[in-house]
Amino acid sequence: MNIKLSRDIAGSILDIGGGGECVIGQVFGDAVIAVDISQEELDEAPDCCKKQLMDARDLRFPDGSFDNVTFFYALMYMSRDTQRQAIAEAVRVLRPGGMIHIWDADIRSACPEPFIVDLDIAAGRKTIRVSYGIVKDEAQDSDAILRHLEAAGLSPARTSVSKQNGQFFIRATKE
């Protein structure tokens, strides 16, 4: 799957699940604080942005701290309940007028066979090649994520969704 990431996100960015490849950090650099629940994932991430060990369900930032919050193939690793809590926290730390950006996959089945997505990410002059894979009992789709966003207080009218080959991108603005 090919994804193009252009530098069209302005302002501060909190990247949830930003350990490992730290794709958002590689593209947006110093504007990013990447948080991850795994110290090992943070240690593996390139030194391209600030990194903090933190649970997305309990973000240690004041309300309205960020212009943007991103989830780049991070929700797939969370249970539905954790997704709901992480999205609610993301909305809390997002300033009014700020945006949540979510890239992820529709997953019908990830058990007993793992779900794997291979990505070629065009980020300016570089290409980042990465694979994400999980085994879990719960399915995931963009509609469920949209329901979490709405439950967290984001208006469907201020939300856009694009889908391609089982992958989705959601952008939602906080009023």
Side-chain angles (χ1 to χ4, degrees):
M1 174 70 193
N2 295 317
I3 294 177
K4 183 176 181 179
L5 286 180
S6 54
R7 293 187 51 94
D8 63 350
I9 300 175
S12 60
I13 302 169
L14 175 63
D15 184 33
I16 306 292
E21 292 76 19
C22 199
V23 170
I24 300 300
Q26 287 189 60
V27 175
F28 296 95
D30 290 340
V32 176
I33 295 177
V35 298
D36 204 294
I37 197 168
S38 167
Q39 185 63 52
E40 183 178 338
E41 290 290 317
L42 290 170
D43 292 343
E44 290 176 6
D47 290 328
C48 53
C49 63
K50 298 173 203 83
K51 300 179 273 185
Q52 293 186 17
L53 182 65
M54 199 173 298
D55 187 329
R57 297 171 295 181
D58 184 27
L59 297 172
R60 297 183 310 265
F61 301 106
D63 295 358
S65 295
F66 294 93
D67 298 312
N68 300 278
V69 178
T70 59
F71 291 84
F72 192 85
Y73 289 85
L75 291 171
M76 66 191 292
Y77 293 100
M78 300 176 192
S79 69
R80 281 187 208 111
D81 191 50
T82 299
Q83 288 174 346
R84 181 187 53 75
Q85 293 172 48
I87 288 172
E89 273 291 275
V91 171
R92 181 187 64 77
V93 301
L94 191 63
R95 70 164 176 78
M99 292 193 291
I100 290 184
H101 311 263
I102 300 171
W103 296 261
D104 220 303
D106 287 322
I107 302 170
R108 289 192 178 118
S109 175
C111 186
E113 295 299 316
F115 173 85
I116 299 172
V117 60
D118 298 311
L119 301 175
D120 288 326
I121 304 156
R125 294 185 178 160
K126 74 158 96 172
T127 299
I128 303 167
R129 289 187 171 86
V130 62
S131 295
Y132 295 110
I134 58 156
V135 175
K136 72 177 186 178
D137 291 332
E138 297 176 321
Q140 169 182 291
D141 62 27
S142 60
D143 291 336
I145 303 305
L146 289 168
R147 285 190 299 274
H148 293 322
L149 289 166
E150 189 171 358
L154 298 184
S155 168
R158 305 266 315 205
T159 302
S160 65
V161 180
S162 59
K163 294 183 174 192
Q164 179 183 1
N165 299 328
Q167 313 306 302
F168 60 83
F169 174 67
I170 299 171
R171 179 176 287 163
T173 304
K174 182 175 180 179
E175 295 179 14

